[in-house]
Amino acid sequence: MPHVFATQIEYVSKNLKYRDNVVLSLHPHNDRGSGVCDAELGMLAGADRIEGTLFGNGERTGNVDIITLAMNMFSHGLDPQLEFSDMPAIREKYERLTRMHVYDRQPYAGDLVFTAFSGSHQDAIAKGMAWREDKKLKEWTVPYLPIDPMDVGRTYDADVIRINSQSGKGGVSYILKTNFSIALPEKMREEVGYAVKQVSDEEHKELSPQWVYEIFENNYIEYSPYFKITDCHFKQNDGIMAEVTIACGEKKTIVDANGNGRLDAVSNTIKQYFGISYELSVYEEHALSHGSSSKAMAYVGITCDGRMYWGAGMDEDIIKASIHALTVAVNKLPSVGNDGAGKDDRLMAIINYIQNNYQDVTLESLAARFHLSEPYISKFIKDKSGKTFGEHVAYVRMKKAKVLLKNGNMTVENIALAVGYQNVEHFNRQFKKMFDMTPVQYRNSCR
C-alpha cells in the first residue's frame, strides 16, 4: 500500500551513506491503481525524482502519469518546472503521434475534467461557482477544483454542468440562471429538476441548455390547457377591483372581484369563476436584463390541498408577467381540469352584479335587474353555485372588509357601514364566523 511504500522510501533515504551524492529516483507503475499516490507519498518521504510518462500510458497498466503529478504539485504551490499551460496542444500532439486516446475523464486533460454532471451530490458545485468579471475573457472558477482551468489553457463552456438522468435541482437551476438569466425561487427548483430529469430518463440522453429551457418553457410558461386570461382592467377604490376576461376555449367570460392588490384581485376572479380555493404562497420577480426595455420574469406558487403548484410568466410589463404566472399555476389544479368551461354565463353575470353592488344589493333588486322572480333567482344561485344569495353577499363584503382593515385606519364601525352593515355587532359576528377571528384581531395580525 502507498503508505507502506513511502515508509520503505523514508528508511532508504535516511540510512543511505553519502545521501547528498545520491539522486533517489522513483519509477511507480499503476498496476494496482495507486501509481500517483505511491509517487506523491514517496516524494514526501524523501525521494528526489520521478520517472513516468505523459498520461500514464506504458507497459502493462501504465506508468505513473507525469502530468497528474506535476499539476498536483502545482496546485500546492510547488513548481514542477514543466510547461503544461497549453494542455489541449499537448494532448493533440500526444494522440496524433502515439495513436492512443486520452480518456474523457483523464485528470486535467480529459474532455470532461472541467464539466460537472449535475447530480444531487453535485449541487454544491453549482452553488460554489463564482462569476469572475475582472478579465476581458470571462471564465468560471470553481473552488472545489485544485486549479483554475486557465492555468492549463482550458475554460468553462456555457454548459459547464451537463444535465442527465442523475441531475439534481442545483444543476438545472444553474443552467437556467447562467444561460437564460432565469433565477428560480428556491422552493421551485426541486420540481423543475424533476421535470427535466423525467425527460432525460425517457429520452436516455444528456440535455443541452436549450433543451432544458424548452422543458421549463413548456411546463411553466406556456402551459395553459384549460383557460387563459385575455384582458384585465383595474379600478382602485380602497383596494383593487379587477375586471378580468377568462377564456375557456372559444368561450369568454368577464368576471369581477376585488382584492388587496392587482394579483390578489385577479386571483379572486379565478376562484370565483371556477368555484375553487387555493392560497397564493410564493411570489417572486426579477428583470431578465438591464435597461428600460428589459423583460420581467415572475414566479407564482399556489397551495391547494397541501400541494404546491408553480407557474412562470415573462413580459415587459411585470403585472402581465405575474398574471400569466398565476394562470399557469391554476391551470395545473386538478379541479380546474375537471371543471370544464367554468360557471354558467348567467350565474357569472349575477355574481359580477353582486361584486359591484355589494353594499346595498338585495334579493329583490337582483331579481329586478335580471327580470326574474325572487324565488327563481334564489334557487338558481343555490343550484348553480352551491351557495345562497346571502352567502355570496357576505363573502364579498367580508373580503372588502379585510382590505379596509389591512390597508386603512378606518374604525371598525365605519368599515361595517362601508361594506353594507348598519349594525356593527352583526358585522363582527359575521366576520368572526367566516375568518375565526374578530375584525380587531385580524387588523392586529396584519400589523
Side-chain angles (χ1 to χ4, degrees):
M1 296 175 70
H3 71 289
V4 176
F5 174 69
T7 300
Q8 294 172 339
I9 298 301
E10 183 182 25
Y11 180 85
V12 171
S13 178
K14 287 182 177 180
N15 289 280
L16 273 174
K17 291 185 178 181
Y18 312 112
R19 177 65 179 86
D20 292 342
N21 297 322
V22 173
V23 175
L24 189 54
S25 179
L26 305 184
H27 183 45
H29 280 244
N30 209 39
D31 304 65
R32 62 191 307 276
S34 60
V36 170
C37 49
D38 280 339
E40 290 185 324
L41 288 177
M43 287 191 291
L44 289 173
D48 303 309
R49 180 177 177 272
I50 295 288
E51 295 182 30
T53 61
L54 294 179
F55 305 111
N57 287 307
E59 71 260 44
R60 302 195 301 279
T61 51
N63 301 99
V64 68
D65 178 18
I66 290 295
I67 290 178
T68 300
L69 280 174
M71 296 310 302
N72 285 357
M73 291 172 63
F74 181 77
S75 71
H76 284 279
L78 300 174
D79 185 1
Q81 299 184 34
L82 296 174
E83 177 55 59
F84 290 138
S85 62
D86 192 353
M87 196 68 73
I90 295 172
R91 174 181 164 177
E92 185 279 327
K93 188 172 292 185
Y94 168 85
E95 291 184 324
R96 175 166 49 84
L97 297 177
T98 67
R99 298 183 183 179
M100 289 188 284
H101 177 65
V102 174
Y103 182 50
D104 289 345
R105 289 174 172 80
Q106 179 77 19
Y108 300 105
D111 285 338
L112 304 181
V113 68
F114 294 117
T115 301
F117 283 87
S118 169
S120 58
H121 62 293
Q122 289 176 325
D123 286 344
I125 294 178
K127 292 179 181 178
M129 300 264 179
W131 185 237
R132 204 166 75 186
E133 296 183 312
D134 56 333
K135 296 181 180 179
K136 184 177 180 180
L137 177 63
K138 298 177 180 179
E139 76 272 4
W140 293 99
T141 57
V142 187
Y144 303 102
L145 292 179
I147 62 166
D148 190 311
M150 295 298 290
D151 293 328
V152 289
R154 300 289 298 278
T155 185
Y156 282 108
D157 298 324
D159 56 347
V160 57
I161 293 185
R162 294 169 66 166
I163 302 301
N164 58 21
S165 61
Q166 303 302 313
S167 296
K169 61 182 183 294
V172 173
S173 61
Y174 172 79
I175 286 290
L176 292 172
K177 172 66 175 176
T178 56
N179 290 274
F180 306 102
S181 300
I182 294 174
L184 298 179
E186 185 174 355
K187 293 182 179 179
M188 188 181 183
R189 294 172 189 172
E190 184 172 7
E191 182 179 315
V192 176
Y194 281 128
V196 172
K197 181 180 183 298
Q198 181 178 354
V199 173
S200 182
D201 283 341
E202 293 171 353
E203 298 291 335
H204 304 290
K205 294 178 180 178
E206 292 177 20
L207 306 183
S208 66
Q210 182 61 34
W211 199 346
V212 171
Y213 174 78
E214 289 171 2
I215 295 169
F216 174 76
E217 183 180 49
N218 292 338
N219 285 275
Y220 298 97
I221 299 179
E222 301 297 336
Y223 186 85
S224 298
Y226 304 115
F227 78 97
K228 295 180 180 180
I229 291 179
T230 58
D231 198 15
C232 286
H233 297 284
F234 300 100
K235 292 183 293 184
Q236 187 163 358
N237 181 18
D238 293 324
I240 299 293
M241 174 64 76
E243 182 182 275
V244 175
T245 302
I246 297 178
C248 291
E250 298 298 321
K251 177 183 175 182
K252 292 185 177 181
T253 306
I254 296 176
V255 186
D256 298 334
N258 61 55
N260 287 321
R262 286 175 169 80
L263 189 62
D264 184 51
V266 172
S267 177
N268 289 334
T269 66
I270 296 173
K271 292 176 181 178
Q272 184 173 299
Y273 181 72
F274 288 103
I276 58 177
S277 178
Y278 59 82
E279 180 183 352
L280 271 169
S281 303
V282 179
Y283 175 78
E284 291 188 21
E285 63 181 55
H286 65 80
L288 287 173
S289 60
H290 299 291
S292 58
S293 61
S294 169
K295 285 189 175 181
M297 197 78 194
Y299 311 90
V300 169
I302 62 174
T303 304
C304 182
D305 296 329
R307 181 179 172 186
M308 186 82 84
Y309 299 86
W310 290 95
M314 186 189 305
D315 198 277
E316 292 180 2
D317 185 335
I318 188 59
I319 300 299
K320 290 182 180 179
S322 61
I323 292 171
H324 184 85
L326 174 64
T327 303
V328 172
V330 177
N331 263 280
K332 295 182 178 181
L333 297 180
S335 55
V336 171
N338 297 331
D339 193 72
K343 285 189 171 62
D344 181 273
D345 286 343
R346 175 180 280 181
L347 177 63
M348 287 311 310
I350 290 172
I351 293 177
N352 286 344
Y353 185 82
I354 293 173
Q355 286 278 350
N356 288 284
N357 300 275
Y358 65 90
Q359 293 169 306
D360 54 8
V361 66
T362 63
L363 189 61
E364 181 183 6
S365 65
L366 188 67
R369 171 69 176 79
F370 288 93
H371 310 290
L372 300 169
S373 69
E374 291 180 38
Y376 179 85
I377 199 169
S378 177
K379 185 176 185 301
F380 177 83
I381 293 171
K382 176 65 175 177
D383 290 346
K384 290 291 185 179
S385 71
K387 296 179 181 178
T388 65
F389 164 75
E391 288 172 335
H392 278 288
V393 174
Y395 176 78
V396 176
R397 287 177 174 178
M398 291 303 134
K399 289 285 288 184
K400 186 67 174 180
K402 288 181 75 174
V403 173
L404 295 174
L405 286 163
K406 182 177 181 180
N407 299 330
N409 294 313
M410 293 173 64
T411 65
V412 173
E413 289 78 6
N414 287 337
I415 289 175
L417 289 171
V419 299
Y421 290 94
Q422 300 301 315
N423 187 311
V424 68
E425 296 300 327
H426 180 50
F427 168 70
N428 284 335
R429 286 194 299 271
Q430 287 287 94
F431 193 95
K432 187 170 184 180
K433 180 181 178 181
M434 187 168 293
F435 303 115
D436 201 30
M437 65 177 71
T438 67
V440 173
Q441 288 172 332
Y442 175 75
R443 171 171 274 173
N444 291 336
S445 71
C446 294
R447 293 177 177 175

